[in-house]
Amino acid sequence: MTGPAPAVAAVRAAVAAALGDVGPGELVLVACSGGADSLALAAGAAFVGRKTGWRVGAMVVDHGLQPGSDEVAATAATACVALGLDPVDVVRVDPTGPGGPEASARAARYAALDVPEAAAVLLGHTLDDQAETVLLGLARGSGARALAGMPATRGRFRRPLLGLRRADTEAACAAQGLTAWQDPTNDGSRPDAPLRSRVRTEVLPTLDRVLGPGVAQALARTAAQLREDADALDGLAGELLAELRTHAAGLDVDALANAPDAIRRRALRTAMIEAGSPAGALSRAHVLAVDALVTDWHGQGPVALPGGVAARRAYGRLALGPADSGVQPS
């Protein structure tokens, strides 16, 4: 008796490993677009769920960004039902919002998928997606947190397939007779293709050809190492911020100045976000300008930040709050 195809076995093993803490009877939801990655994940979760006793369902998010998106969503839902998933829901979201269409669509998608009743929500990102994320972060000059890529687990969201290639999910679908949807936006040769698709179609193959095979795996390893470093530094920054806030209003600039640059700047960025500045709008230039209030003070005025927030220094303390409040630290 032969076992499953290697790619099918790999997907199933990845799902089992990622959800080892989920008990029988708990609800696991698969975010399924109908593409090869999420369809292979849905099939793997359905199989493992039958062995473990999970309730495995699916959510199909229709952004309405392409003609016929409702038909694509309905086809994906039908495929999930055929795999034995239950419940299977199609959710239509409004992709309009701040940050451009891609960012707003992503925000709407995650909001719809964040189902409190689910023990885990599975996302179909692969090692290839991780490599593309790292390359885009490098090109944009992003910091270590962005270069750390996508986490395997964040809250109830889990990405079991981050160790597998896109070729593995395509092979898993083929071996199980599953017909995956081919998203036309993934064709990076089109003049209107999203930047990520062009990285996928043009940049990564070029890097493999010039540097040799294995670039995607190397980028994913880099992301994992940077995530460890970023987690450690973020933890130290959080401890610094918590200690500073146990005292009087505002942050003591002398205590901040004595902290290592990486920890101090992370603490300042966190304080800016907590004061109301959108994380996605904060650049390194903003962080360095506020940092200068601590390390290069020569009487400069408030630093304006995104979201109508300002940083001010007075009487040896740094305060962050509404730009028009005029409140000074005491």
Side-chain angles (χ1 to χ4, degrees), residues 141-280:
S142 303
R145 176 53 69 187
L147 297 182
M150 297 175 287
T153 300
R154 177 176 288 163
R156 62 174 53 89
F157 293 109
R158 306 197 188 186
R159 297 180 171 89
L161 306 183
L162 281 182
L164 301 181
R165 301 297 304 270
R166 188 169 291 120
D168 295 321
T169 63
E170 292 171 348
C173 286
Q176 297 171 98
L178 301 174
T179 302
W181 172 55
Q182 301 296 326
D183 185 348
T185 66
N186 287 336
D187 181 3
S189 64
R190 294 172 36 165
D192 60 342
L195 184 58
R196 179 179 287 272
S197 297
R198 296 182 63 186
V199 169
R200 177 179 308 162
T201 304
E202 301 176 24
V203 178
L204 272 171
T206 299
L207 289 175
D208 269 335
R209 186 173 65 255
V210 174
L211 301 178
V215 170
Q217 293 92 327
L219 289 168
R221 289 195 301 272
T222 298
Q225 293 165 13
L226 285 172
R227 179 162 297 281
E228 294 173 359
D229 295 346
D231 287 345
L233 290 170
D234 284 348
L236 293 172
E239 293 174 6
L240 172 64
L241 205 53
E243 174 62 25
L244 292 175
R245 284 176 169 164
T246 62
H247 303 298
L251 304 176
D252 186 302
V253 295
D254 289 334
L256 279 168
N258 288 330
D261 291 352
I263 296 172
R264 180 181 64 254
R265 290 168 183 166
R266 277 172 164 78
L268 289 173
R269 187 176 190 278
T270 297
M272 296 176 211
I273 294 169
E274 291 177 354
S277 202

Side-chain angles (χ1 to χ4, degrees), residues 33-49:
S33 67
D37 299 339
S38 61
L39 199 57
L41 180 59
F47 178 86
V48 178

